[in-house]
Structure formats: C-alpha cells, structure tokens
Amino acid sequence: MLVLGIESTCDETACAVVEGEKTILSNVIASQTALHAPFGGVFPELASRQHIEVFPEVLQQALKEANTSLEKLDLIAVAEKPGLMGSLLVGIHFAKGLALGANIPLIGVDHVEAHLFSAYMSATEEILFPAIGLVVSGGHTLLVYMSELGSHQIIGRTRDDALGEAFDKVATLLSLPYPGGPLIEQLAKKGDPQRYRFKVGQIKERPLDFSFSGLKTSVLYQVKGQNAHSTPLLSDQEKCDIAASFQRVAFADIISKTLLAVKEFGCKSILIGGGVSNSSILRDLFFQVSPIPLYFPHKALTQDNGAMIAGLGSYLFSLENKLKVVN
Ligand code: KG4
Ligand code: ZN
C-alpha cells in the first residue's frame, strides 16, 4: 500500500510517501520558520498563504524522491485536526482536490495521534498497550491514554502555554532567535541547572494538567529584575545557568506527570512525540527514570511531517477495511 501524507496544521508544509505503515520513501518538509521569525511565533494568516504557495512544489518533490506518481498511490491521508483553521483548510482542500482528480481514497487523521504514531514508526519492537502518550510541541502539551494504537483520550493538557512555546518565550528573554528550544538546549549544556530555583505551576484538582506561564514569569523576573522594566545585561554564564535551570524544572514536571499517569492508568509503555521530544536531554532524563518501555520518534520525525500522517492513515485505513471484511 502506497500512501501520500499531507500535513499543514501549523507552519510546516509537508508531503511524504510511505509504503505500508513504516517504510518512508520520501519526507519533504518546507518549514516557514524564517517567515515567522520576526514575529517571535507563528502568524496564522501568513502561514495559510504560504501553504497555498508551496504545496504543489512540495508534492512534486515528495513524489519524485519516492520515485512514484499520483496514479500509483493507493491512499491519501491528510491531517484534519487540530491546528490553525486557515492552515488546516488549505491542506484539506489540497488533499480533497488530489483525491478527487486522481480517484484515490482519502482519509483524515488526527495530528496529535500522528505525532504519537511517529514513535511507533520508529520502534523496532512490539509496543504493549495500554500506553500513555505525551505530545510536547510549540502548539501542544498533552497527556493521553491510549487503549490501542490510533486511539486516544486526553487526560492532561496545558492550561496556558505549550511547553515548546515556553521554551521559545524564554529564548526570546535571553535574546535568542525563534524557535528557541534547540538553542536553550545548547546553552543549558554549559549551565548550572541548580543555580536558579524556578517553579512550575501545579493544578491541585487536576494533577495531570500543566501550567508553564508562572515558570516563564519567574524567568522574566530573573532576567529583568523584580519590576520587569530594566534589562540588565546578563553574562554568558548567567544565560547558560538560566537556560539550564528552566529546562531542568520544565522537563522534571512533564516526566513526573507522565509517570503519575502511567501509575494511575496501569500502562505498559510510553510513547512520546512533538518538536520538544527532539531534545537529547529530555530523552536521557526520561530513560533514566522510566520503569516501563519508552518510545521516542527518530529525530527526523519529531517536527511536523507528512510521514507520520501517511503512516497513521495507512494503519487506520487497513483497520477499517479489516473491520468491513469481518462484518
Ligand atoms: O512539533 P513542532 O515542530 O511544531 C509544532 O509546534 O507543532 O515543535 C516546535 C517546537 C518549538 O517550540 C521548538 O522550540 C521546540 O519544539 N523544540 C525544542 C527542541 N527542539 C524543538 N524544545 C526544547 N528542546 C529542543 N531540543
Ligand atoms: Zn505538531
């Protein structure tokens, strides 16, 4: 089964061709990072216009790299939710047009589930369910319960900023360019994670929910002083120590809440996805403490991409057809 995956939920325009569920023949991603950098975050209207602009070229490239053509595809999968409204509409209409024109079945998939599916695509052993899924990106911070692959129930979510967004905002405070997550990781390697005692918000009545806005404000006060008006010059070492201290508490929070969820729901494995899961520090910390098997995506699959959409589409389509045969 040859599947085309189409992704445009936020600021990446992506097409990929996947054979079956896991064999990636091409994975083309046109990132809009440079376009949004001056705004310190994604500018939704610009994002959808850019998707329209680059989709045809991204598709051609994906088909070429996979050495195939539209007529040879068995299925088109598109990320249909959640995401920026305008960006989603562009991807969905592009996919519908292709499917209709070439007479290929079309399936819509959930972007959050696809992030977790990317961990499955990268795994070399059988994953046991039920599992806990953690999606950490610039747009999402979610804990989900997965009774099986391709299904999820949200059990924890952020009340304010997404984790990646908090990394990006702290990076801006440290005068680093957008997106700041990878740069914070680099600075943190040279810093003292115990120097500043930042705290992450806890929600008493919902212990699996997240809150990073207070943490971000503590960093703001540390950088600018208590009245947050002045901008004292920080030494390079102070910047590294702030990055390391922020990263330490942020990661400790998501790891402890994931393990709490594992215990509460009696889960047998953990799947992780999203841009922040690219962090090697997060991976090391998680592996050190997880009592059950832990699955991260290959680094090339952590950011938004079409391969995870195609893989999940392929899996769900086969499942639907199997059910039809059984019925
Ligand atoms: O999944 P993604 O590519 O896009 C969406 O937001 O959907 O995630 C991008 C986010 C950005 O906020 C970026 O700063 C963060 O992932 N990120 C990281 C790292 N690499 C990317 N955050 C912390 N450490 C990293 N190494
Ligand atoms: Zn995403």
Side-chain angles (χ1 to χ4, degrees), residues 7 9-12 42 111 115 136-140 163-168 178-186 247 251 273-280 302-304:
E7 157 66 39
T9 57
C10 190
D11 63 338
E12 261 93 32
V42 178
H111 175 86
H115 268 305
V136 273
S137 70
H140 308 284
L163 182 57
E165 197 182 351
F167 267 85
D168 295 336
Y178 170 84
L183 302 166
I184 296 265
E185 182 178 8
Q186 292 316 315
Q247 183 181 253
F251 285 165
V276 182
S277 74
N278 202 36
S279 165
S280 303
T302 54
Q303 74 175 129
D304 290 350

Coordinates of all heavy atoms in Angstrom, one line a residue, residues 7 9-12 42 111 115 136-140 163-168 178-186 247 251 273-280 302-304, ligand 1:
E7 N 0.5 17.3 5.4 CA 0.4 18.0 6.7 C 0.6 19.5 6.5 O 1.5 20.0 5.8 CB 1.6 17.4 7.5 CG 2.1 18.3 8.6 CD 1.1 18.5 9.8 OE1 0.5 17.5 10.1 OE2 1.1 19.6 10.3
T9 N -0.9 21.6 9.5 CA -1.7 22.1 10.6 C -1.2 23.4 11.2 O -1.9 24.1 11.9 CB -1.7 21.1 11.8 OG1 -0.4 20.8 12.2 CG2 -2.4 19.8 11.3
C10 N 0.1 23.7 11.0 CA 0.7 24.9 11.6 C 1.6 25.6 10.6 O 1.1 26.2 9.6 CB 1.4 24.5 12.9 SG 1.9 25.9 13.9
D11 N 2.9 25.6 10.8 CA 3.8 26.3 10.0 C 4.7 25.5 9.2 O 5.8 25.9 8.7 CB 4.5 27.4 10.8 CG 5.4 26.8 11.8 OD1 5.2 25.6 12.2 OD2 6.4 27.5 12.2
E12 N 4.4 24.2 9.0 CA 5.2 23.3 8.1 C 4.3 22.8 7.0 O 3.2 22.3 7.3 CB 5.8 22.1 8.9 CG 7.2 22.3 9.3 CD 7.3 22.8 10.7 OE1 6.4 22.5 11.5 OE2 8.3 23.5 11.0
V42 N 4.2 31.9 15.4 CA 3.5 31.7 14.1 C 2.4 32.8 13.9 O 1.6 33.0 14.7 CB 2.9 30.3 14.0 CG1 2.2 30.1 12.7 CG2 4.0 29.3 14.2
H111 N -3.8 15.0 14.1 CA -2.4 15.4 14.1 C -1.7 14.9 15.4 O -0.5 14.5 15.4 CB -2.3 16.9 14.0 CG -1.0 17.5 14.1 ND1 -0.1 17.6 13.0 CD2 -0.3 18.0 15.1 CE1 1.0 18.2 13.4 NE2 0.9 18.5 14.7
H115 N 1.6 12.4 15.8 CA 2.8 12.6 16.5 C 3.2 11.3 17.3 O 4.4 10.9 17.3 CB 2.7 13.8 17.5 CG 3.1 15.1 16.8 ND1 4.4 15.3 16.2 CD2 2.5 16.3 16.8 CE1 4.4 16.5 15.8 NE2 3.3 17.1 16.1
V136 N 4.6 16.9 23.1 CA 5.1 18.2 23.5 C 5.7 18.9 22.3 O 6.7 18.5 21.7 CB 6.2 18.1 24.6 CG1 5.6 18.0 26.0 CG2 7.0 16.8 24.4
S137 N 5.0 20.0 21.9 CA 5.4 20.8 20.8 C 5.2 22.3 21.0 O 4.9 22.7 22.1 CB 4.7 20.3 19.5 OG 3.3 20.7 19.6
G138 N 5.3 23.1 19.9 CA 5.1 24.5 20.1 C 3.6 24.8 20.3 O 3.2 25.8 20.8
G139 N 2.7 23.9 19.8 CA 1.3 24.1 19.9 C 0.6 23.2 21.0 O -0.5 23.5 21.4
H140 N 1.2 22.1 21.4 CA 0.5 21.2 22.2 C 1.4 20.7 23.4 O 2.6 20.6 23.3 CB 0.2 19.9 21.5 CG -0.6 20.1 20.2 ND1 -1.9 20.4 20.2 CD2 -0.2 20.1 18.9 CE1 -2.3 20.6 18.9 NE2 -1.3 20.4 18.1
L163 N 4.6 23.6 26.0 CA 5.9 23.6 26.5 C 6.9 24.2 25.5 O 7.8 25.0 25.9 CB 6.3 22.1 26.8 CG 7.8 21.9 27.4 CD1 8.0 22.7 28.6 CD2 8.1 20.5 27.6
G164 N 6.8 23.9 24.2 CA 7.6 24.5 23.2 C 7.5 26.0 23.2 O 8.5 26.7 23.0
E165 N 6.3 26.4 23.4 CA 6.1 27.9 23.4 C 6.8 28.5 24.5 O 7.4 29.6 24.4 CB 4.5 28.1 23.6 CG 4.0 29.4 23.2 CD 2.5 29.4 23.5 OE1 1.9 28.3 23.8 OE2 1.9 30.5 23.5
A166 N 6.8 27.9 25.7 CA 7.5 28.4 26.9 C 9.0 28.4 26.6 O 9.7 29.4 26.9 CB 7.2 27.5 28.1
F167 N 9.5 27.4 25.9 CA 11.0 27.4 25.5 C 11.2 28.6 24.6 O 12.2 29.3 24.8 CB 11.3 26.1 24.8 CG 11.9 25.0 25.7 CD1 11.1 24.2 26.4 CD2 13.3 24.9 25.9 CE1 11.6 23.2 27.3 CE2 13.8 23.9 26.7 CZ 12.9 23.1 27.4
D168 N 10.3 28.8 23.6 CA 10.5 29.9 22.7 C 10.5 31.3 23.4 O 11.3 32.2 23.0 CB 9.5 29.8 21.6 CG 9.6 28.6 20.7 OD1 10.7 28.0 20.7 OD2 8.6 28.1 20.1
Y178 N 14.0 32.8 17.3 CA 12.9 31.8 17.2 C 13.2 30.8 16.2 O 13.7 31.2 15.1 CB 11.6 32.6 16.9 CG 10.5 31.6 16.5 CD1 9.7 31.1 17.6 CD2 10.2 31.3 15.2 CE1 8.6 30.2 17.2 CE2 9.1 30.4 14.9 CZ 8.4 29.9 15.9 OH 7.3 29.1 15.6
P179 N 12.9 29.5 16.4 CA 12.4 28.9 17.6 C 13.6 28.6 18.5 O 14.6 28.1 18.1 CB 11.8 27.6 17.0 CG 12.6 27.3 15.8 CD 13.1 28.6 15.2
G180 N 13.4 28.9 19.8 CA 14.5 28.9 20.7 C 14.8 27.6 21.4 O 15.8 27.4 22.1
G181 N 13.9 26.6 21.3 CA 14.1 25.3 22.0 C 15.5 24.7 21.9 O 16.2 24.4 22.8
P182 N 15.9 24.5 20.6 CA 17.2 23.8 20.4 C 18.3 24.7 20.9 O 19.3 24.2 21.4 CB 17.3 23.7 18.9 CG 15.9 23.8 18.4 CD 15.1 24.7 19.3
L183 N 18.2 26.0 20.9 CA 19.2 26.9 21.4 C 19.3 26.9 22.9 O 20.4 27.0 23.5 CB 19.0 28.4 20.9 CG 18.9 28.5 19.4 CD1 18.4 29.8 18.9 CD2 20.3 28.3 18.8
I184 N 18.1 26.8 23.6 CA 18.1 26.7 25.0 C 18.9 25.4 25.4 O 19.6 25.4 26.4 CB 16.7 26.6 25.6 CG1 15.9 27.9 25.3 CG2 16.6 26.2 27.0 CD1 15.9 28.9 26.4
E185 N 18.6 24.3 24.7 CA 19.3 23.0 25.0 C 20.8 23.2 24.9 O 21.5 22.7 25.7 CB 18.8 21.9 24.0 CG 19.4 20.6 24.3 CD 19.0 19.4 23.4 OE1 18.3 19.7 22.4 OE2 19.4 18.3 23.7
Q186 N 21.3 23.9 23.9 CA 22.7 24.1 23.7 C 23.3 24.9 24.9 O 24.3 24.6 25.5 CB 23.0 24.8 22.4 CG 22.7 24.0 21.1 CD 23.2 22.6 21.3 OE1 24.4 22.3 21.7 NE2 22.4 21.6 20.9
Q247 N 15.2 24.6 32.0 CA 15.0 23.3 31.3 C 14.8 22.2 32.3 O 14.0 21.3 32.1 CB 16.2 23.1 30.4 CG 16.0 21.8 29.6 CD 17.3 21.5 28.7 OE1 17.2 21.7 27.5 NE2 18.4 21.1 29.3
F251 N 11.4 20.0 32.3 CA 11.4 18.5 32.0 C 11.1 17.7 33.2 O 10.4 16.7 33.0 CB 12.8 18.1 31.5 CG 13.1 18.6 30.0 CD1 14.3 18.6 29.5 CD2 12.0 19.0 29.2 CE1 14.5 19.1 28.2 CE2 12.2 19.5 27.9 CZ 13.5 19.5 27.4
G273 N 6.0 12.3 21.4 CA 6.2 12.9 20.1 C 6.1 14.4 20.2 O 5.9 15.0 21.3
G274 N 6.4 15.1 19.1 CA 6.3 16.6 19.0 C 7.7 17.1 19.0 O 8.7 16.5 19.5
G275 N 7.8 18.4 18.6 CA 9.1 19.1 18.4 C 10.0 19.0 19.7 O 11.2 18.8 19.5
V276 N 9.5 19.2 20.9 CA 10.3 19.2 22.1 C 11.0 17.8 22.3 O 12.0 17.7 22.9 CB 9.5 19.7 23.3 CG1 10.4 19.8 24.5 CG2 8.9 21.0 23.0
S277 N 10.3 16.8 21.8 CA 10.9 15.4 22.0 C 12.2 15.2 21.2 O 12.8 14.2 21.3 CB 9.9 14.3 21.7 OG 9.7 14.2 20.3
N278 N 12.5 16.2 20.5 CA 13.8 16.2 19.8 C 15.0 16.3 20.8 O 16.1 15.9 20.5 CB 13.9 17.4 18.8 CG 14.9 17.1 17.7 OD1 15.1 16.0 17.2 ND2 15.6 18.2 17.3
S279 N 14.7 16.9 21.9 CA 15.8 17.2 22.9 C 16.5 15.9 23.4 O 15.8 15.0 24.0 CB 15.2 17.9 24.1 OG 16.1 17.9 25.2
S280 N 17.8 15.9 23.3 CA 18.6 14.7 23.7 C 18.5 14.7 25.3 O 18.6 13.6 25.9 CB 20.0 14.8 23.3 OG 20.0 14.8 21.9
T302 N 10.3 14.2 14.6 CA 9.7 14.8 15.8 C 9.0 16.1 15.4 O 7.9 16.4 16.0 CB 10.8 15.3 16.8 OG1 11.8 16.0 16.1 CG2 11.5 14.1 17.5
Q303 N 9.5 16.8 14.4 CA 8.7 18.0 14.0 C 7.5 17.6 13.1 O 7.4 16.4 12.7 CB 9.7 19.0 13.2 CG 10.0 18.5 11.8 CD 10.8 19.5 11.1 OE1 11.9 19.2 10.5 NE2 10.4 20.8 11.0
D304 N 6.7 18.5 12.8 CA 5.5 18.2 12.0 C 6.0 17.7 10.6 O 6.9 18.3 10.0 CB 4.7 19.5 11.7 CG 4.0 19.9 13.0 OD1 4.0 19.1 14.0 OD2 3.4 21.0 13.0
Ligands
KG4_1 O1 6.3 19.9 16.6 P1 6.9 21.2 16.2 O2 8.0 21.2 15.1 O3 5.9 22.2 15.7 C1 4.7 22.5 16.4 O4 4.7 23.3 17.3 O5 3.7 21.8 16.1 O6 7.6 21.8 17.5 C2 8.3 23.0 17.5 C3 8.6 23.4 19.0 C4 9.2 24.7 19.1 O7 8.6 25.4 20.2 C5 10.7 24.5 19.5 O8 11.3 25.5 20.2 C6 10.6 23.2 20.2 O9 9.6 22.4 19.5 N1 11.8 22.4 20.2 C7 12.6 22.2 21.3 C8 13.7 21.5 20.9 N2 13.7 21.3 19.6 C9 12.5 21.9 19.2 N3 12.3 22.5 22.6 C10 13.3 22.1 23.5 N4 14.4 21.5 23.2 C11 14.7 21.1 21.9 N5 15.8 20.5 21.6

